[in-house]
Amino acid sequence: MPTKSSTQTLKVASWNINSVRARAEIVERFLTEHQPDVLCLQETKVVNDSFPEGLFRRLGYNHMMLNGQRMHHGVAIISKLPMRDEDRLDWQANGEARHIGVRLENGLRIENVYVPAGGDEPDRSVNPKFGQKLDFIQRMIDWSGRLDGSTLLLGDFNVAPLECDVWSHKQLLNVVSHTPVEVELLTALQNSHNWVDLGRRFVPAPERLYTWWSYRALDWAKSDRGRRLDHMWMSPDVATAAVGHQVIEGARSWTRPSDHAPLITEFAF
DNA sequence: ATGGTTGTAAAACAA
């Protein structure tokens, strides 16, 4: 992708923030402490007209691409670097704001996705939401197979694929996010473009690696019933540019937290 | 095994 001889570094973050307006304090803390160049958000829960742009501009993030809607869902990409608006795909064909794709000036595409959670019952005949989730991922597979160019695909995929991506493989086998049919589809998505799972490149299985802990636990850290629902995948042509990766687990303990922790990958091109 | 919490937005619904 980039052809310069000098090394160019880039720090990209992804965070399901569960309402960007409810998280003003902690998103500021995150940006101040970690200084990513690009922040991809999921579940912004705000229409574009009400997006808190001033908060981000004040912190030096002057470029924003928004795909929001009323009440639920919503994604955004916030950046210190200029970017071009590439696409906003609707893999459910129902108008839900779950994707935004941009291209940076160095040519890297960033595709930010919020896969549907899928409801409670892992059976599409009684729970249409589960079927919509499977169909959404299948349409991503069709899209991903045709993609070209250096691409970072990231976001809340709402699937924890590996046994070590959940606190108990056995107890979650029939829980939406870790069922075999979802895992099989997510694996097919990964294979469709030979995506490199950056999380597991830096924290290899079977090491513990979670990005989400339920609000319902009395003490999320003590019970540690986590799942790795959030992912960063790099196209194979530039995967070696990734030089570091972290899940900022501490953010789960900040005041009024999201139930997801932010992920950061650093690149050197 | 069930229930536990949060955000949106004004009663449930989605997660």
Side-chain angles (χ1 to χ4, degrees):
Chain A
M1 176 197 59
T3 52
K4 285 183 195 166
S5 56
S6 62
T7 300
Q8 188 185 20
T9 63
L10 179 72
K11 199 167 175 178
V12 180
S14 175
W15 196 4
N16 179 321
I17 199 161
N18 186 15
S19 171
V20 68
R21 289 177 293 180
R23 302 305 160 218
E25 268 184 46
I26 63 168
V27 77
E28 174 161 359
R29 176 170 175 184
F30 174 70
L31 293 173
T32 304
E33 290 185 7
H34 294 280
Q35 296 286 326
D37 299 292
V38 179
L39 172 62
C40 300
L41 296 174
Q42 302 90 36
E43 278 206 86
T44 52
K45 294 190 172 179
V46 63
V47 293
N48 294 348
D49 286 347
S50 303
F51 194 88
E53 294 197 26
L55 164 66
F56 295 103
R57 291 192 193 281
R58 192 157 53 74
L59 298 168
Y61 295 82
N62 292 315
H63 305 92
M64 285 167 246
M65 296 293 182
L66 310 177
N67 184 12
Q69 67 173 86
R70 197 176 124 84
M71 296 264 286
H72 300 303
H73 323 311
V75 290
I77 302 182
I78 290 143
S79 175
K80 291 183 174 180
L81 307 169
M83 50 188 172
R84 279 212 318 261
D85 202 338
E86 282 285 302
D87 46 9
R88 292 140 199 268
L89 301 172
D90 181 359
W91 284 302
Q92 291 179 117
N94 66 358
E96 290 182 358
R98 295 181 175 276
H99 169 264
I100 187 163
V102 299
R103 189 185 294 269
L104 302 183
E105 286 185 330
N106 70 1
L108 180 69
R109 283 175 68 145
I110 300 179
E111 303 285 345
N112 179 17
V113 182
Y114 176 43
V115 175
D120 288 333
E121 192 67 41
D123 177 350
R124 70 189 307 158
S125 68
V126 298
N127 168 25
K129 287 179 183 301
F130 190 67
Q132 284 174 358
K133 178 181 194 175
L134 300 180
D135 295 345
F136 186 102
I137 299 172
Q138 183 56 58
R139 291 186 184 122
M140 282 186 75
I141 293 171
D142 301 337
W143 162 84
S144 159
R146 294 192 304 268
L147 261 189
D148 58 0
S150 305
T151 306
L152 176 60
L153 173 61
L154 56 75
D156 178 0
F157 295 0
N158 265 315
V159 179
L162 305 179
E163 294 190 15
C164 55
D165 289 337
V166 294
W167 64 276
S168 168
H169 170 63
K170 272 190 184 171
Q171 288 180 77
L172 291 177
L173 264 173
N174 203 34
V175 173
V176 173
S177 73
H178 193 60
T179 62
V181 60
E182 292 169 88
V183 169
E184 194 178 313
L185 265 179
L186 198 73
T187 304
L189 175 59
Q190 189 176 355
N191 293 339
S192 69
H193 198 75
N194 295 316
W195 293 105
V196 175
D197 174 352
L198 295 176
R200 284 303 175 192
R201 183 161 157 206
F202 288 91
V203 186
E207 259 186 83
R208 173 190 169 284
L209 185 61
Y210 306 145
T211 67
W212 174 89
W213 296 260
S214 171
Y215 283 127
R216 297 174 190 178
L218 293 171
D219 182 336
W220 74 274
K222 190 177 172 195
S223 61
D224 197 27
R225 294 185 168 189
R227 304 180 203 170
R228 187 169 72 108
L229 302 180
D230 303 271
H231 302 271
M232 289 182 148
W233 288 358
M234 194 68 161
S235 58
D237 57 320
V238 279
T240 55
V243 295
H245 180 88
Q246 300 172 260
V247 174
I248 312 302
E249 219 175 295
R252 184 64 179 75
S253 290
W254 292 350
T255 309
R256 281 190 88 197
S258 168
D259 45 356
H260 294 252
L263 283 62
I264 300 176
T265 299
E266 287 182 70
F267 300 93
F269 293 107

